[in-house]
Amino acid sequence: MRHVIALDVGGTGMKAALVAQDGGLLHQARRATGRERGPEAVVEGILDFAAELSAHGVEHFGEPASAAGVAVPGIVDADRGIASYAANLGWRDVPLRDLLAKRLGIPVALGHDVRTGGLAEGRIGAGQGADRFLFVPLGTGIAGAIGIAGRVEAGAHGFAGEIGHIVVRPGGSPCPCGQRGCLERYASAAAVSEAWAQACGDPDADAADCAKAVASGDPNAVRVWQHAVDALADGLVTALTLLDPRTLIIGGGLAEAGDTLFTPLREAVRRRVTFQKLPTIVPAALGDSAGCLGAGLMAWDLLATTDRTEVTP
């Protein structure tokens, strides 16, 4: 059975699958990234994991994978196949595509984790059928994926979609990027966790706890939550003014709060738009499998391109 390897590399763990041409998941596996052993060990772990997946395909489906798709965090030069930088993994300028292609003997596509997840959400998830969408996962930080006609725009230098570094509070909290007042300093899951821990006096409290307190009517929690929602709405309206998406897909940890997030967020965005067209604002549909599914889509896209090239006179 023809299939591809899909691999989603995170800061602490890796998710993988063997994906059939119809999108069916033939095999799934997880493994720790092993970042505590250093960047070289992380790279070797990725190569070994991919080789094991390839061997599983031979054993159980009668043939090796036809291609592989890999999603990684940080700064990614997808055209050159280089994982340029990832603070969580400690690597710089890793030629990951070529290393994997050499180990596996098949073509490999390399992509940015959020854009890869956005590709999956746009094609087979919450944005299915939308010609223009913006995917914004609210996690430790905030990134974005700009969907255009079935693909995701990387930008001229691979930095497109970095909505978390839109300045929404000029002169505000310093951000590791070097600016002050960035969106992710106010509306990420990490920012809400920090603000709620301080407000309630429990250093172990997090964003999920804040959402529960909001649902129970705690006024301090409502204040912290609304502060984050207002900042998020400011950033999103800036993004939709520039991009005019038809669908706005919100994912990540904060989106798990459901209506506790989406009801005030939709209202906050509605209040801020003037001439702009209000997009449909929906929760992401694929959860933490989006990156892996997107990696599979990248691999099949690569094969489609390769197949067309091979038959062109």
Side-chain angles (χ1 to χ4, degrees):
M1 180 180 293
R2 200 176 192 209
H3 61 278
V4 297
I5 293 170
L7 185 57
D8 179 19
V9 179
T12 58
M14 297 184 282
K15 296 181 285 291
L18 299 180
V19 185
Q21 199 156 7
D22 64 358
L25 300 178
L26 305 175
H27 171 68
Q28 297 182 73
R30 292 182 180 239
R31 176 175 293 183
T33 304
R35 63 178 180 177
E36 69 280 356
R37 293 182 287 117
E40 293 81 8
V42 170
V43 173
E44 193 58 39
I46 293 170
L47 297 177
D48 289 345
F49 194 20
E52 290 177 16
L53 292 163
S54 180
H56 184 93
V58 173
E59 180 180 354
H60 293 274
F61 306 113
E63 61 179 287
S66 299
V70 185
V72 297
I75 299 171
V76 181
D77 186 339
D79 290 339
R80 297 169 59 212
I82 294 174
S84 302
Y85 174 71
N88 287 342
L89 299 176
W91 64 29
R92 286 182 180 272
D93 298 324
V94 178
L96 195 55
R97 182 181 65 193
D98 289 348
L99 291 172
L100 280 163
K102 183 177 180 180
R103 176 70 70 91
L104 301 174
I106 56 177
V108 175
L110 181 69
H112 181 271
D113 57 353
V114 172
R115 287 194 288 271
T116 302
L119 178 68
E121 284 288 353
R123 286 200 197 169
I124 60 176
Q128 191 170 6
D131 56 343
R132 300 287 190 280
F133 70 88
L134 178 63
F135 170 56
V136 181
L138 309 173
T140 303
I142 300 178
I146 303 166
I148 304 172
R151 64 180 183 85
V152 173
E153 174 59 44
H157 307 96
F159 296 162
E162 289 291 344
I163 184 176
H165 297 290
I166 288 176
V167 173
V168 294
R169 300 291 180 264
S173 298
C175 180
C177 79
Q179 301 184 121
R180 300 183 71 93
C182 288
L183 174 62
E184 70 175 39
R185 299 298 300 142
Y186 299 92
S188 64
V192 174
S193 295
E194 182 181 344
W196 178 233
Q198 184 175 357
C200 72
D202 179 359
D204 296 324
D206 61 14
D209 297 323
C210 185
K212 292 174 185 175
V214 170
S216 68
D218 184 310
N220 278 334
V222 170
R223 175 182 55 79
V224 169
W225 195 258
Q226 192 61 50
H227 183 65
V229 167
D230 286 340
L232 180 57
D234 288 341
L236 292 176
V237 170
T238 297
L240 69 88
T241 302
L242 291 171
L243 302 172
D244 188 26
R246 197 174 305 279
T247 303
L248 187 54
I249 306 167
I250 308 297
L254 281 191
E256 294 175 7
D259 287 345
T260 301
L261 173 67
F262 284 92
T263 297
L265 179 60
R266 290 183 180 114
E267 175 60 21
V269 171
R270 187 195 63 77
R271 289 198 311 268
R272 284 162 171 77
V273 297
T274 53
F275 66 90
Q276 305 94 333
K277 292 292 185 180
L278 190 65
T280 302
I281 302 176
V282 298
L286 302 178
D288 71 352
S289 65
C292 196
L293 292 168
L297 291 171
M298 283 197 308
W300 283 115
D301 285 354
L302 180 61
L303 276 177
T305 302
T306 303
D307 290 347
R308 283 197 300 270
T309 302
E310 288 177 350
V311 300
T312 300

